[in-house]
Amino acid sequence: MDDFESEATWDFGGSDSVVLKFVEDKLTSAKRDQLRRFRAGKPPITLQLAEGLRRKASIVGYGSRDNTFYLTWE
């Protein structure tokens, strides 16, 4: 997901979750295809948010219609 840092917006869904949304018009077709390969149940990923916090997170859902990932912290 490192390749997508500038294309995402994010919102905390609570103290233990975050929602990442990738803006369609900022994505190439190759990047859209790459995003679709991420799925729930994959090994945890490390996110570094704007404040510099690094957290291990797991994907719990993906909305292909709006390129949105739902993640929970470990």
Coordinates of all heavy atoms in Angstrom, one line a residue:
M1 N 0.8 -1.2 0.0 CA 0.0 0.0 0.0 C 0.9 1.3 0.0 O 0.3 2.3 -0.2 CB -0.9 0.0 1.2 CG -2.1 -1.0 1.1 SD -3.3 -0.6 2.3 CE -4.8 -1.0 1.3
D2 N 2.2 1.1 0.2 CA 3.0 2.3 0.2 C 2.9 3.1 -1.1 O 3.1 4.3 -1.1 CB 4.5 1.9 0.3 CG 4.8 1.4 1.7 OD1 4.0 1.6 2.7 OD2 5.8 0.7 1.9
D3 N 2.6 2.5 -2.2 CA 2.5 3.2 -3.5 C 1.3 4.1 -3.5 O 1.1 4.9 -4.5 CB 2.3 2.2 -4.6 CG 3.6 1.4 -4.8 OD1 4.7 1.8 -4.3 OD2 3.5 0.3 -5.4
F4 N 0.4 4.1 -2.5 CA -0.9 4.8 -2.6 C -1.0 5.9 -1.5 O -2.0 6.5 -1.4 CB -2.0 3.8 -2.4 CG -2.1 2.8 -3.4 CD1 -1.5 1.5 -3.2 CD2 -2.8 3.0 -4.6 CE1 -1.5 0.6 -4.2 CE2 -2.8 2.0 -5.6 CZ -2.2 0.8 -5.4
E5 N 0.1 6.3 -0.9 CA 0.0 7.2 0.2 C -0.6 8.5 -0.1 O -1.3 9.1 0.7 CB 1.4 7.4 0.9 CG 2.4 8.0 0.0 CD 3.7 8.1 0.6 OE1 3.8 8.6 1.8 OE2 4.7 7.8 0.0
S6 N -0.4 9.0 -1.3 CA -0.9 10.4 -1.6 C -2.4 10.3 -2.2 O -3.0 11.3 -2.3 CB 0.0 11.1 -2.7 OG 0.0 10.3 -3.9
E7 N -2.9 9.1 -2.5 CA -4.2 9.0 -3.1 C -5.3 8.7 -2.1 O -6.4 8.7 -2.5 CB -4.2 7.9 -4.2 CG -3.5 8.2 -5.5 CD -2.0 7.8 -5.4 OE1 -1.5 7.4 -4.3 OE2 -1.3 8.0 -6.4
A8 N -4.9 8.5 -0.9 CA -5.9 8.1 0.1 C -6.4 9.2 1.0 O -5.6 10.1 1.4 CB -5.4 7.0 1.0
T9 N -7.6 9.2 1.4 CA -8.1 10.0 2.5 C -8.5 8.9 3.6 O -8.7 7.8 3.3 CB -9.4 10.8 2.2 OG1 -10.4 9.9 1.8 CG2 -9.1 11.8 1.0
W10 N -8.5 9.4 4.9 CA -8.9 8.4 5.9 C -9.6 9.1 7.0 O -9.6 10.3 7.2 CB -7.6 7.8 6.5 CG -6.5 8.7 7.0 CD1 -5.5 9.2 6.2 CD2 -6.3 9.2 8.3 NE1 -4.7 10.0 7.0 CE2 -5.2 10.0 8.3 CE3 -7.0 9.0 9.5 CZ2 -4.8 10.7 9.4 CZ3 -6.6 9.6 10.6 CH2 -5.5 10.4 10.6
D11 N -10.4 8.3 7.7 CA -11.2 8.7 8.8 C -11.1 7.6 9.9 O -11.2 6.4 9.5 CB -12.7 8.9 8.5 CG -12.9 10.1 7.6 OD1 -12.5 11.2 8.0 OD2 -13.4 10.0 6.5
F12 N -11.0 8.0 11.1 CA -11.1 7.0 12.2 C -12.5 6.6 12.3 O -13.4 7.4 12.4 CB -10.6 7.6 13.5 CG -9.1 7.7 13.6 CD1 -8.5 8.9 13.6 CD2 -8.3 6.5 13.7 CE1 -7.1 9.0 13.7 CE2 -7.0 6.6 13.7 CZ -6.3 7.8 13.7
G13 N -12.7 5.3 12.4 CA -14.0 4.7 12.6 C -14.3 4.5 14.1 O -15.3 3.9 14.5
G14 N -13.4 4.8 14.9 CA -13.5 4.6 16.4 C -12.0 4.4 16.9 O -11.1 4.6 16.1
S15 N -11.9 4.1 18.1 CA -10.5 3.9 18.7 C -9.8 2.8 18.1 O -8.6 2.7 18.3 CB -10.6 3.8 20.2 OG -11.4 2.7 20.6
D16 N -10.5 1.8 17.6 CA -9.8 0.6 17.1 C -10.0 0.3 15.6 O -9.8 -0.8 15.1 CB -10.2 -0.6 17.9 CG -11.7 -0.9 17.8 OD1 -12.4 -0.1 17.2 OD2 -12.1 -2.0 18.3
S17 N -10.4 1.3 14.8 CA -10.5 1.1 13.4 C -10.3 2.4 12.6 O -10.3 3.5 13.1 CB -12.0 0.6 13.1 OG -12.9 1.5 13.4
V18 N -10.1 2.2 11.3 CA -9.9 3.3 10.4 C -10.4 2.9 9.0 O -10.5 1.7 8.7 CB -8.3 3.6 10.3 CG1 -7.6 2.5 9.6 CG2 -8.1 5.0 9.6
V19 N -10.9 3.9 8.3 CA -11.5 3.7 7.0 C -10.6 4.5 6.0 O -10.3 5.7 6.2 CB -12.9 4.3 6.9 CG1 -13.4 4.1 5.5 CG2 -13.8 3.5 7.9
L20 N -10.0 3.8 5.0 CA -9.2 4.4 4.0 C -10.0 4.5 2.7 O -10.5 3.4 2.2 CB -8.0 3.6 3.7 CG -6.9 3.5 4.8 CD1 -5.8 2.6 4.4 CD2 -6.4 4.8 5.2
K21 N -10.1 5.6 2.1 CA -10.8 5.7 0.8 C -9.8 6.3 -0.3 O -9.2 7.3 0.0 CB -12.0 6.7 0.9 CG -12.8 6.7 -0.4 CD -14.1 7.5 -0.2 CE -14.9 7.5 -1.5 NZ -16.2 8.1 -1.4
F22 N -9.8 5.6 -1.4 CA -8.9 6.0 -2.5 C -9.8 6.7 -3.5 O -10.7 6.1 -4.0 CB -8.2 4.8 -3.0 CG -7.2 4.2 -2.1 CD1 -7.6 3.2 -1.2 CD2 -5.9 4.7 -2.0 CE1 -6.7 2.7 -0.3 CE2 -5.0 4.2 -1.0 CZ -5.4 3.2 -0.2
V23 N -9.4 7.9 -3.9 CA -10.2 8.7 -4.8 C -10.0 8.2 -6.2 O -8.9 8.1 -6.7 CB -9.8 10.2 -4.7 CG1 -10.6 11.0 -5.7 CG2 -9.9 10.7 -3.3
E24 N -11.1 7.8 -6.9 CA -11.1 7.2 -8.2 C -10.3 8.0 -9.2 O -9.5 7.4 -9.9 CB -12.6 7.0 -8.7 CG -12.7 6.3 -10.0 CD -12.6 4.8 -9.9 OE1 -12.7 4.3 -8.8 OE2 -12.2 4.2 -10.9
D25 N -10.5 9.3 -9.3 CA -9.8 10.1 -10.4 C -8.3 10.3 -10.1 O -7.6 10.7 -11.0 CB -10.5 11.4 -10.6 CG -10.5 12.3 -9.4 OD1 -10.1 11.9 -8.3 OD2 -10.9 13.5 -9.5
K26 N -7.8 9.9 -9.0 CA -6.4 9.9 -8.7 C -5.7 8.6 -8.9 O -4.5 8.5 -8.8 CB -6.1 10.4 -7.3 CG -6.5 11.8 -7.0 CD -6.1 12.2 -5.7 CE -6.4 13.7 -5.4 NZ -6.0 14.1 -4.1
L27 N -6.5 7.5 -9.3 CA -5.9 6.2 -9.5 C -5.8 5.9 -11.0 O -6.7 6.1 -11.7 CB -6.8 5.2 -8.8 CG -6.9 5.2 -7.3 CD1 -8.0 4.2 -6.8 CD2 -5.6 4.9 -6.6
T28 N -4.7 5.3 -11.3 CA -4.6 4.7 -12.7 C -5.3 3.4 -12.7 O -5.6 2.8 -11.6 CB -3.1 4.5 -13.0 OG1 -2.5 3.5 -12.2 CG2 -2.3 5.8 -13.0
S29 N -5.5 2.8 -13.8 CA -6.2 1.5 -13.9 C -5.3 0.5 -13.3 O -5.8 -0.5 -12.6 CB -6.5 1.1 -15.3 OG -5.4 1.1 -16.1
A30 N -4.0 0.6 -13.4 CA -3.1 -0.4 -12.8 C -3.1 -0.3 -11.2 O -3.1 -1.4 -10.6 CB -1.6 -0.1 -13.2
K31 N -3.3 0.9 -10.7 CA -3.4 1.0 -9.2 C -4.7 0.5 -8.8 O -4.8 -0.1 -7.7 CB -3.2 2.5 -8.8 CG -1.7 2.9 -8.8 CD -1.5 4.2 -8.2 CE 0.0 4.5 -8.1 NZ 0.3 5.7 -7.3
R32 N -5.8 0.7 -9.5 CA -7.1 0.1 -9.1 C -7.0 -1.4 -9.1 O -7.5 -2.0 -8.2 CB -8.2 0.6 -10.1 CG -8.7 2.0 -9.8 CD -10.0 2.3 -10.6 NE -9.8 2.3 -12.0 CZ -9.3 3.3 -12.7 NH1 -9.1 4.4 -12.1 NH2 -9.2 3.2 -14.0
D33 N -6.4 -2.0 -10.1 CA -6.2 -3.4 -10.1 C -5.4 -3.9 -8.9 O -5.7 -4.9 -8.3 CB -5.6 -3.9 -11.4 CG -6.4 -3.7 -12.6 OD1 -7.7 -3.6 -12.5 OD2 -5.9 -3.7 -13.8
Q34 N -4.4 -3.2 -8.6 CA -3.6 -3.6 -7.5 C -4.4 -3.5 -6.2 O -4.2 -4.4 -5.3 CB -2.3 -2.7 -7.4 CG -1.3 -3.1 -6.4 CD -0.1 -2.3 -6.4 OE1 0.1 -1.4 -7.2 NE2 0.8 -2.5 -5.4
L35 N -5.2 -2.5 -6.0 CA -6.0 -2.3 -4.8 C -7.0 -3.5 -4.7 O -7.2 -4.0 -3.6 CB -6.8 -1.0 -4.8 CG -6.0 0.2 -4.4 CD1 -7.0 1.4 -4.6 CD2 -5.5 0.1 -3.0
R36 N -7.5 -3.9 -5.7 CA -8.5 -5.0 -5.7 C -7.9 -6.4 -5.2 O -8.6 -7.3 -4.8 CB -9.1 -5.2 -7.1 CG -10.1 -4.1 -7.4 CD -10.8 -4.3 -8.7 NE -11.6 -3.1 -9.1 CZ -11.3 -2.2 -10.0 NH1 -10.2 -2.4 -10.8 NH2 -12.1 -1.2 -10.2
R37 N -6.6 -6.5 -5.3 CA -5.9 -7.7 -4.8 C -5.8 -7.8 -3.3 O -5.6 -8.8 -2.8 CB -4.5 -7.8 -5.5 CG -4.6 -8.2 -7.0 CD -3.3 -8.7 -7.5 NE -2.3 -7.6 -7.6 CZ -2.1 -6.8 -8.6 NH1 -2.9 -6.9 -9.7 NH2 -1.2 -5.9 -8.6
F38 N -5.9 -6.6 -2.6 CA -5.9 -6.6 -1.2 C -7.2 -7.2 -0.7 O -8.3 -6.7 -1.2 CB -5.7 -5.2 -0.6 CG -4.3 -4.7 -0.8 CD1 -4.0 -3.8 -1.8 CD2 -3.2 -5.1 0.0 CE1 -2.7 -3.3 -1.9 CE2 -2.0 -4.6 -0.1 CZ -1.7 -3.7 -1.1
R39 N -7.2 -8.1 0.2 CA -8.5 -8.7 0.7 C -8.4 -8.9 2.2 O -7.3 -9.0 2.8 CB -8.7 -10.0 0.0 CG -9.1 -9.9 -1.4 CD -10.5 -9.3 -1.5 NE -10.9 -9.1 -2.9 CZ -10.9 -8.0 -3.5 NH1 -10.6 -6.9 -2.9 NH2 -11.3 -7.9 -4.8
A40 N -9.6 -9.0 2.8 CA -9.7 -9.3 4.2 C -9.0 -10.7 4.5 O -9.0 -11.6 3.6 CB -11.1 -9.4 4.6
G41 N -8.4 -10.8 5.6 CA -7.7 -12.0 6.0 C -6.3 -12.1 5.6 O -5.6 -13.1 5.9
K42 N -5.8 -11.2 4.9 CA -4.4 -11.1 4.5 C -3.6 -10.8 5.7 O -4.1 -10.3 6.7 CB -4.1 -10.1 3.4 CG -4.7 -10.3 2.1 CD -3.8 -11.3 1.3 CE -4.4 -11.4 -0.1 NZ -3.6 -12.2 -0.9
P43 N -2.3 -11.1 5.7 CA -1.5 -10.7 6.9 C -1.6 -9.3 7.2 O -1.9 -8.5 6.3 CB -0.1 -11.1 6.4 CG -0.2 -12.1 5.3 CD -1.5 -11.7 4.7
P44 N -1.3 -8.9 8.4 CA -1.5 -7.5 8.8 C -0.5 -6.6 8.0 O 0.5 -7.0 7.5 CB -1.0 -7.4 10.3 CG -1.1 -8.8 10.7 CD -1.0 -9.7 9.5
I45 N -0.9 -5.3 7.8 CA -0.1 -4.3 7.1 C 0.3 -3.3 8.2 O -0.4 -3.2 9.2 CB -0.8 -3.7 6.0 CG1 -2.1 -3.0 6.4 CG2 -1.1 -4.7 4.9 CD1 -2.8 -2.2 5.4
T46 N 1.3 -2.6 7.9 CA 1.7 -1.5 8.8 C 1.3 -0.2 8.2 O 1.7 0.1 7.0 CB 3.2 -1.5 9.1 OG1 3.6 -2.7 9.7 CG2 3.6 -0.4 10.0
L47 N 0.6 0.6 8.9 CA 0.2 1.9 8.4 C 0.9 3.0 9.2 O 1.1 2.9 10.4 CB -1.3 2.2 8.7 CG -2.3 1.3 7.9 CD1 -3.7 1.7 8.4 CD2 -2.2 1.5 6.4
Q48 N 1.3 4.1 8.5 CA 1.9 5.2 9.1 C 1.0 6.4 8.8 O 0.9 6.8 7.6 CB 3.3 5.5 8.7 CG 3.9 6.6 9.5 CD 5.4 6.7 9.3 OE1 6.0 5.9 8.7 NE2 6.0 7.8 9.9
L49 N 0.2 6.9 9.8 CA -0.7 8.0 9.6 C 0.0 9.3 9.6 O 1.2 9.4 9.9 CB -1.8 7.9 10.6 CG -2.6 6.6 10.6 CD1 -3.6 6.6 11.7 CD2 -3.2 6.3 9.2
A50 N -0.7 10.4 9.2 CA -0.1 11.7 9.1 C 0.6 12.2 10.4 O 1.6 12.9 10.3 CB -1.2 12.7 8.8
E51 N 0.2 11.8 11.5 CA 0.8 12.2 12.8 C 2.1 11.4 13.0 O 2.7 11.6 14.1 CB -0.1 12.0 14.0 CG -1.4 12.8 13.9 CD -2.5 12.2 13.1 OE1 -2.6 10.9 13.1 OE2 -3.2 12.9 12.5
G52 N 2.4 10.5 12.2 CA 3.7 9.7 12.4 C 3.4 8.4 13.1 O 4.4 7.7 13.4
L53 N 2.2 8.1 13.6 CA 1.9 6.9 14.3 C 2.0 5.7 13.3 O 1.5 5.8 12.2 CB 0.5 7.0 14.9 CG 0.2 8.1 15.9 CD1 -1.3 8.1 16.2 CD2 1.1 7.9 17.1
R54 N 2.7 4.7 13.8 CA 2.7 3.4 13.0 C 1.9 2.4 13.7 O 2.1 2.2 14.9 CB 4.2 3.0 12.8 CG 5.0 3.9 12.0 CD 6.4 3.4 11.9 NE 6.5 2.2 11.0 CZ 6.9 2.3 9.8 NH1 7.3 3.4 9.2 NH2 6.9 1.2 9.0
R55 N 1.0 1.7 13.0 CA 0.2 0.7 13.6 C 0.1 -0.5 12.7 O 0.0 -0.3 11.5 CB -1.2 1.3 13.9 CG -1.3 2.4 14.9 CD -2.5 2.1 15.7 NE -2.5 2.9 16.9 CZ -3.7 3.3 17.4 NH1 -4.8 3.0 16.9 NH2 -3.7 4.0 18.5
K56 N 0.0 -1.6 13.3 CA -0.4 -2.9 12.6 C -1.9 -2.9 12.4 O -2.6 -2.7 13.4 CB 0.1 -4.1 13.3 CG 1.6 -4.2 13.3 CD 2.0 -5.4 12.5 CE 3.5 -5.6 12.6 NZ 4.1 -5.8 11.3
A57 N -2.3 -3.1 11.2 CA -3.8 -3.2 10.9 C -4.1 -4.4 10.0 O -3.3 -4.8 9.3 CB -4.2 -1.9 10.3
S58 N -5.3 -4.8 10.2 CA -5.8 -5.9 9.3 C -7.0 -5.4 8.6 O -7.9 -4.7 9.1 CB -6.2 -7.1 10.2 OG -5.1 -7.7 10.9
I59 N -7.1 -5.8 7.3 CA -8.2 -5.4 6.4 C -9.4 -6.3 6.8 O -9.3 -7.5 6.9 CB -7.8 -5.7 5.0 CG1 -6.7 -4.7 4.6 CG2 -9.1 -5.4 4.1 CD1 -6.1 -5.1 3.2
V60 N -10.5 -5.7 7.1 CA -11.7 -6.5 7.5 C -12.8 -6.3 6.4 O -13.7 -7.1 6.4 CB -12.3 -6.1 8.8 CG1 -11.3 -6.4 9.9 CG2 -12.6 -4.6 8.9
G61 N -12.6 -5.4 5.4 CA -13.5 -5.3 4.4 C -13.0 -4.4 3.3 O -12.1 -3.6 3.5
Y62 N -13.6 -4.5 2.1 CA -13.2 -3.7 0.9 C -14.4 -3.4 0.1 O -15.2 -4.3 -0.2 CB -12.1 -4.4 0.1 CG -11.8 -3.7 -1.2 CD1 -11.2 -2.4 -1.2 CD2 -12.1 -4.2 -2.4 CE1 -10.9 -1.8 -2.4 CE2 -11.9 -3.6 -3.6 CZ -11.2 -2.3 -3.6 OH -11.0 -1.7 -4.7
G63 N -14.6 -2.1 -0.2 CA -15.8 -1.7 -1.0 C -15.2 -1.4 -2.4 O -14.7 -0.3 -2.6
S64 N -15.4 -2.2 -3.3 CA -14.8 -2.0 -4.7 C -15.5 -0.9 -5.4 O -14.9 -0.2 -6.3 CB -14.9 -3.3 -5.5 OG -16.2 -3.7 -5.7
R65 N -16.8 -0.6 -5.1 CA -17.5 0.5 -5.7 C -16.8 1.9 -5.5 O -16.7 2.7 -6.4 CB -18.9 0.5 -5.3 CG -19.7 1.7 -6.0 CD -21.2 1.7 -5.6 NE -21.8 0.5 -5.9 CZ -23.0 0.1 -5.4 NH1 -23.6 0.8 -4.6 NH2 -23.5 -1.1 -5.8
D66 N -16.4 2.1 -4.3 CA -15.8 3.4 -4.0 C -14.3 3.3 -3.5 O -13.8 4.2 -2.9 CB -16.6 4.1 -2.9 CG -16.8 3.4 -1.6 OD1 -16.2 2.3 -1.5 OD2 -17.4 3.9 -0.7
N67 N -13.7 2.1 -3.7 CA -12.3 1.9 -3.4 C -12.0 2.2 -1.9 O -11.0 2.9 -1.6 CB -11.4 2.8 -4.3 CG -11.5 2.4 -5.7 OD1 -11.4 1.3 -6.1 ND2 -11.9 3.4 -6.5
T68 N -12.8 1.7 -1.0 CA -12.7 1.9 0.4 C -12.3 0.7 1.1 O -12.9 -0.4 0.9 CB -14.0 2.4 0.9 OG1 -14.4 3.6 0.3 CG2 -14.0 2.7 2.4
F69 N -11.3 0.8 2.0 CA -10.9 -0.3 2.9 C -11.3 0.0 4.3 O -11.3 1.1 4.7 CB -9.4 -0.4 2.9 CG -8.8 -1.0 1.6 CD1 -8.5 -0.3 0.5 CD2 -8.7 -2.4 1.5 CE1 -8.0 -0.8 -0.6 CE2 -8.2 -3.0 0.4 CZ -7.8 -2.2 -0.7
Y70 N -11.7 -1.0 5.0 CA -12.0 -1.0 6.4 C -11.0 -1.8 7.2 O -10.9 -3.0 6.9 CB -13.5 -1.5 6.6 CG -14.5 -0.7 5.8 CD1 -14.8 -1.1 4.5 CD2 -15.1 0.4 6.3 CE1 -15.7 -0.4 3.7 CE2 -16.0 1.2 5.5 CZ -16.2 0.7 4.2 OH -17.1 1.4 3.4
L71 N -10.3 -1.2 8.1 CA -9.3 -1.8 8.8 C -9.5 -1.7 10.3 O -10.1 -0.8 10.8 CB -7.9 -1.2 8.5 CG -7.5 -1.2 7.0 CD1 -7.8 0.1 6.4 CD2 -6.1 -1.6 6.9
T72 N -9.0 -2.7 11.0 CA -8.9 -2.6 12.5 C -7.5 -2.7 13.0 O -6.7 -3.4 12.3 CB -9.8 -3.8 13.1 OG1 -9.3 -5.0 12.7 CG2 -11.2 -3.7 12.8
W73 N -7.2 -2.1 14.1 CA -5.9 -2.2 14.7 C -5.7 -3.5 15.4 O -6.6 -4.1 15.9 CB -5.7 -1.1 15.7 CG -6.0 0.3 15.3 CD1 -6.8 1.2 15.9 CD2 -5.4 1.0 14.2 NE1 -6.8 2.4 15.2 CE2 -6.0 2.3 14.1 CE3 -4.5 0.6 13.2 CZ2 -5.6 3.2 13.2 CZ3 -4.2 1.6 12.2 CH2 -4.7 2.8 12.2
E74 N -4.5 -3.9 15.4 CA -4.1 -5.1 16.2 C -3.7 -4.7 17.6 O -3.2 -3.7 17.8 CB -3.0 -5.9 15.5 CG -3.4 -6.4 14.2 CD -2.5 -7.6 13.8 OE1 -1.4 -7.7 14.3 OE2 -3.1 -8.4 13.1

